[in-house]
Amino acid sequence: MNDKSTSSGVHIDAAAIMHAARKLEQGGLVAFPTETVYGLGGDAENPAAIAAIYAAKGRPANHPVIVHVSPEADIGYWAASVPVQARRLIASFWPGPLTLILKRAAHIPDAVAGGQDSVGLRCPSHPVAQALLREFRGGKGGIAGPSANKFGHVSPTTAEHVREEFGGDADSLVDYVLDGGQSEVGIESTIVDLSRIDTHGPVLLRPGQISAERIAAVLGMPLSSPDASAPRASGTLDAHYAPHTPVVQVSPDALPQVLEKLAAAGKKVALICRLQTSHSVAVTRPMPETADAYAHDLYAALRDMDHAGVDIIVVEALPGSDDWQGVNDRLRRAAFDSQGLLASLG
C-alpha cells in the first residue's frame, strides 16, 4: 500500500494503516475515522477484543456493537440470511451511513451482538476506514466499532476528541488512533432492523442522515417504529450522546423568557442556536441552517460548550421535518437526564 490523497483531500498514510491493522489482528484497540463519527475498533471475531472495547467504554455487556466491513465483504459470512430488502438497501446506500440488523451467522461470536441472535453490519464510506478494512485480515475481517468515547457521552468527530476521552498515547486505553480529519456526517448511522422482515417488516431503530423516507422509497414500504421485541441496537437508550453539562431544548418563541429565568437564577448559560440573537449569555454557538450541516457541527458544538464553564447548555429547538429526524433524536437523548430542570427553577 502506498500513501495517497483521495479526491476529497483525505490523506491515507499507508504505514499508519498497516500499523493499525496489525494492532487489530493482535487483539488491540484502534480508534478510526468514519464518515459518521470515530469508532473504537476491535476484531469482531475476537471475543477478548470485544470485551476490551466494552471495558474501555464502560459499556453494558448486553449493548451490541456494529460490525464494519469492507465494500468487497461477503455479507453472507456475517448473516445467517440476507433478504432481498437488505440487498436493495446495500445497493442504494453502501458504502454510507446505514447499518442493517440481520440474523447473525452461527459462527459469529455472540459478544459482538450483546448476546442476541442478530448482528449489525455497516460499510463506511470514509477512505481511511475503507483502507483499514481492506488491510485488516486481507479485507476479510470485520471491525467492531462503537463510537470512540465513554459510554453515553458525546461521540467524537475528530481524533483529538478521541484523545480527550481516552488519554494521550502513553496512558491511553486505546492502542492506536488513526487520524482522518473531521467526520463529514457528524452523527451516527441510521439503523434499520431487517432481522424480522417476514413478520414485522423493516423497522427504524435509530434515525440518521439517511432518512426513513429515502429508505422506504427504496423498499417500497414504510418503516415501522420499534416494538417491545425489537433487537437492542447501538445508541438507542433514552439517555445518550450527552455532555457533562445539562442540556435543555427550548422553542425559539420561548427562548427570551427562558433565558431571563436562567439569568434571574444566576445560571451561566451557553446557547446553541441557528437564529441571530441579541440575548446576553455567557457564550453563543451559532449553527448552520440546514440539517446536514447542523449534524456535521453538532457534537463539536456540544463538546465546546461542555468546556465553556457554564451551568447549562440551552439548545434552540429545531424543525420537526424528516430531514431533521436524526439530529432531533440525538438532542432528545442528550437532554433526557435534564428533563424538569427548567421547571425546577420556578
Side-chain angles (χ1 to χ4, degrees), residues 27-324:
L29 301 186
V30 171
F32 65 102
T34 79
E35 74 278 17
T36 58
V37 300
Y38 273 65
L40 180 58
D43 183 348
E45 295 184 82
N46 182 340
I50 303 304
I53 291 175
Y54 280 82
K57 284 180 63 71
R59 186 184 184 96
N62 67 346
H63 205 59
V65 294
I66 292 168
V67 178
H68 295 69
V69 297
S70 75
E72 299 80 21
D74 176 11
I75 303 305
Y77 176 80
W78 299 94
S81 62
V82 185
V84 63
Q85 294 88 348
R87 299 288 183 191
R88 289 175 187 161
L89 293 179
I90 287 169
S92 296
F93 299 116
W94 279 17
L98 175 67
T99 295
L100 300 179
I101 307 295
L102 303 173
K103 286 294 184 185
R104 175 170 55 89
H107 63 273
I108 302 301
D110 64 1
V112 79
Q116 301 180 113
D117 66 354
S118 57
V119 62
L121 300 171
R122 182 167 101 79
C123 177
S125 63
H126 196 292
V128 172
Q130 290 195 4
L132 177 63
L133 285 159
R134 285 172 169 140
E135 179 68 23
F136 173 61
R137 299 201 182 286
K140 297 183 183 300
I143 300 176
S147 56
N149 54 275
K150 296 293 186 177
F151 185 69
H153 194 218
V154 182
S155 299
T157 53
T158 68
E160 185 55 36
H161 292 165
V162 177
R163 296 185 180 100
E164 285 178 10
E165 292 283 329
F166 294 108
D169 294 338
D171 59 352
S172 179
L173 296 169
V174 180
D175 294 296
Y176 193 64
V177 179
L178 271 176
D179 193 338
Q182 184 167 5
S183 297
E184 180 182 357
V185 174
I187 60 172
E188 298 78 4
S189 61
T190 306
I191 302 180
V192 176
D193 175 32
L194 298 177
S195 68
R196 308 172 301 157
I197 189 71
D198 292 337
T199 56
H200 292 73
V203 177
L204 180 66
L205 300 183
R206 181 178 71 186
Q209 185 192 57
I210 299 175
S211 69
E213 272 187 351
R214 292 174 64 195
I215 294 167
V218 170
L219 295 179
M221 64 180 78
L223 275 65
S224 302
S225 298
D227 64 319
S229 62
R232 298 184 303 278
S234 297
T236 55
L237 298 179
D238 287 334
H240 219 81
Y241 314 112
H244 300 291
T245 308
V247 174
V248 296
Q249 293 188 81
V250 178
S251 69
D253 290 345
L255 202 54
Q257 180 182 357
V258 168
L259 293 178
E260 287 177 11
K261 180 190 290 188
L262 289 168
K267 299 296 183 182
K268 195 174 181 181
V269 175
L271 176 62
I272 296 176
C273 63
R274 295 189 306 150
L275 303 178
Q276 292 292 327
T277 177
S278 59
H279 301 297
S280 179
V281 294
V283 58
T284 299
R285 174 67 176 254
M287 297 292 283
E289 285 289 327
T290 66
D292 284 353
Y294 194 109
H296 176 272
D297 290 359
L298 174 60
Y299 288 151
L302 287 174
R303 283 178 174 271
D304 288 348
M305 297 303 94
D306 205 20
H307 296 322
V310 298
D311 301 307
I312 188 169
I313 300 170
V314 174
V315 181
E316 172 207 9
L318 300 169
S321 54
D322 192 69
D323 55 329
W324 287 95

